[in-house]
Amino acid sequence: MRACLVVLTLLAASAVARAEVAAPSVGRHTLTLGMIGGGGHLAGLDLGGFGPNLEVALGSGRWQYFTEGGAMIVSLGGPGVDTGGYQVRGGLGARWIARSLQFDHSAAVEMTLEGFTAVSEYWWTGGGRLLRPEVGVGVGWQVRFLDNLRYATRMTIRIAFGPDDPQRAMTACKGACPSRAATGSNSSIGVLMGFQW
Amino acid sequence: MKASLVTLLVCASIGEARAERDATNQLGFGIAFDQVPIAGHRVMQMGIGLAVEHPVFRHWRVFGEYEYLWLTEATTDQMDVALDGSGHRSSIGLRRQLVGTTLGKVLTLSIDGEVGGGVGIFSDNLTGAHIMPHAFAGLRLGYVFRAREADDASPPGASFGAAFTFRAIAVEHGIGGMFGLGFAWGG
């Protein structure tokens, strides 16, 4: 296990060091409109949803510092539970262009890595609310058009971690939550697709 | 499993690699779906991970992967307690191009063979926590775009590629299978 981790770390360090190649700077001010969808667990129940997402970013070199906000229609299901509601979410994060391959000075296919923190508020259709913070990381790829560095289309896969408090989450299922509320995972996956200009 | 490993190694050693990759490091990411037996459960795993590669010999590349995994198990009874968990898995392996062709010096299509192993740490609500080593053998079908030599926009050897991966995974409780899609940048 330790040898495996050491080898993996050395390989990663080597690859990242080699990745320090000339990549075109990102636009200084960018706006990204997209859709985000995802799923995970809340108190052991299956949580999923999708909705629009808006991002405003400041760029410097290969970095972008962004704030984002969005809304989702969500569903919460499991044995004996089928409910849903709405979610609004706001967050902050930073994105790094890890790799960039340019074609004829006109476009670049790039790999992005990002980290973020956010807060979501849920309104359940049957009544009740839940405030839930999260932190996460993401990896993605984008095609950026170099005639105007702000134009890009991007897809990011995110992993987010949030507290899993079955007692608070029971506001969603009105105390009729199944016994599996003792959960095994408090992470969720999100897929974000957007257009940046 | 042993037979498939031997077959893959033999194929790799006699395979005529028509178009070798540039001797550059690669960094990429991917998403994978697999099913492996854990403590009597057919556990389905979905993973998102990072991967790095480095050329070590003329025809061989060593790669390392890290994946974050979600664990589930299909149940037919709504009243069943469903398996629910997460985990981490790291792997190292060797990869060799078995068949490949390069078109116009910028696009390489290839089928690679790979073998390797690693260890995972998993935790779920039914079987508890496990530290589980694994070994794998598989095939990778993909393409690589390279920057043209005359194109000064990217450094020499810069590339972008995508590949489908199919693996047999051997773990303590049996053998499972994996399917994945990955993207990698070289340069």
Side-chain angles (χ1 to χ4, degrees), chain A residues 1 4 8 11 14 18 41 79 99 101-102 104-105 109-111 139-141 157 159 161 183-185 187-189, chain B residues 25 29 46 48 50 52 54 64-65 68 70 78 84-85 90 119 148 151-155 158-160 185-187:
Chain A
M1 173 69 179
C4 182
L8 201 59
L11 285 170
S14 170
R18 293 290 188 98
H41 293 98
R99 284 273 170 130
L101 175 66
Q102 299 175 52
D104 299 328
H105 297 277
V109 181
E110 300 178 324
M111 175 181 171
V139 61
W141 69 283
I157 304 172
I159 304 170
F161 301 89
T183 183
S185 168
S187 56
S188 62
I189 182 174
Chain B
N25 292 328
F29 71 95
M46 184 183 78
I48 296 172
L50 292 173
V52 292
H54 183 74
E65 298 172 344
Y68 182 84
W70 287 272
Q78 280 292 301
D84 171 26
S90 61
V119 65
R148 288 186 294 196
D151 185 357
D152 60 356
S154 292
S159 65
F160 166 73
W185 283 256

Side-chain angles (χ1 to χ4, degrees), chain B residues 91-103:
Chain B
S91 307
I92 57 173
L94 284 170
R95 181 155 74 92
R96 188 194 200 282
Q97 189 179 74
L98 302 176
V99 180
T101 184
T102 300
L103 308 172

